[in-house]
Amino acid sequence: MSPRAPHHAPRARSVIFLYMDGGPSQVDIFDPKPLLEKYAGRRPHDVFRVDPTQFNNIGTVLPSPWKFKRYGESGIPVSDLFPHIARRVDDIAVIRSCVSNFPEHTNANYFLHTGIGLQGRPSMGAWFGYGLGSENQDLPGFIVLNGGLIPPGGLDCFGSGFLPASYQGSVFKSSGSAVANIARSEPSALLQRNKLTLLEQLDAGVIDRLGQLDVIESSIANYELAFRMQAAVPELMELSGESDITKKLYGFEADYPQTRTFAQQCLLARRLVERGVRFIELTCPSGN
């Protein structure tokens, strides 16, 4: 996980991926569809080629109820839903050319996370760690902040596929004890260090007899990382140093409890980037 230089000077050093399950449709925010206006009120099967597994032959075509205007020097269309974002649209990259052949949620999520709509491929967070390493050796290079809803497709959305297991996403809770059993189990750091050294020697003996095994090597790396995380994770989760103004701006005082949960995830993501973590994904809070 040592940091590696890319083949050209990067403009970004980290990624925060906001996975917003159940968010507004793209046709209501950044991607106007004139054909919805043209065929408003008609049956979808009469005017579009639709997947029979996804749509029943009921209902009619409904255009977006929000109006679009072009904003900024880029002229990107934005709907009335986002009047404030529209003023900063030149700071945003809107990709409207990305399509998928997977209408079902699970396969679509594999496609979104890995580029292929089938299970078992490396997630983009795993690729970032594999290609660029991490600037923080005391935390995983790919962290998923779980707000309560894991995307359809499950943990395979964050898997390492055929890459070494140490590159897969590590799931953190966004409040309380971020990682299970992170507290030191031994009375002293020296005793735990000695146990890990013995475990590493035993694993090395297995490698000498059987050859290089990803499972064993990744296990050794994970035990070592877990040892270092015992100091790094509590410090990460301690938000008392953040000002009340900062917390309010993030949404800590919102009336909606799920907004408060997502606010804490966003603040933790910023703190992870400041600590050199390469790729952070935020999932949605649970509840209505």
Side-chain angles (χ1 to χ4, degrees), residues 43 56 64 86 133 208 221 252 256 271:
R43 295 191 309 169
N56 293 323
S64 175
D208 288 339
F252 275 58
Y256 192 48
R271 291 170 63 87

Side-chain angles (χ1 to χ4, degrees), residues 25-41 47-48 61-70 77-79 94-100:
S25 168
Q26 77 275 11
V27 304
D28 290 330
I29 50 177
F30 298 116
D31 195 11
K33 300 294 187 185
L35 288 182
L36 294 180
E37 296 275 357
K38 179 178 179 180
Y39 296 117
V47 292
F48 300 118
V61 174
L62 175 68
S64 175
W66 289 277
K67 302 300 180 183
F68 284 80
K69 295 180 182 177
R70 295 186 178 274
V78 184
S79 82
V94 178
I95 301 173
R96 295 171 56 187
S97 58
C98 188
V99 297
S100 165

Side-chain angles (χ1 to χ4, degrees), residues 49-65:
R49 186 179 64 185
V50 296
D51 189 333
T53 65
Q54 193 74 4
F55 297 100
N56 293 323
N57 194 17
I58 58 176
T60 59
V61 174
L62 175 68
S64 175

Side-chain angles (χ1 to χ4, degrees), residues 83-100:
H84 301 297
I85 292 178
R87 294 202 298 267
R88 303 303 301 269
V89 73
D90 286 336
D91 298 327
I92 300 172
V94 178
I95 301 173
R96 295 171 56 187
S97 58
C98 188
V99 297
S100 165

Side-chain angles (χ1 to χ4, degrees), residues 36 111 202 225 243:
L36 294 180
F111 178 79
L202 294 173
L225 178 58
S243 69

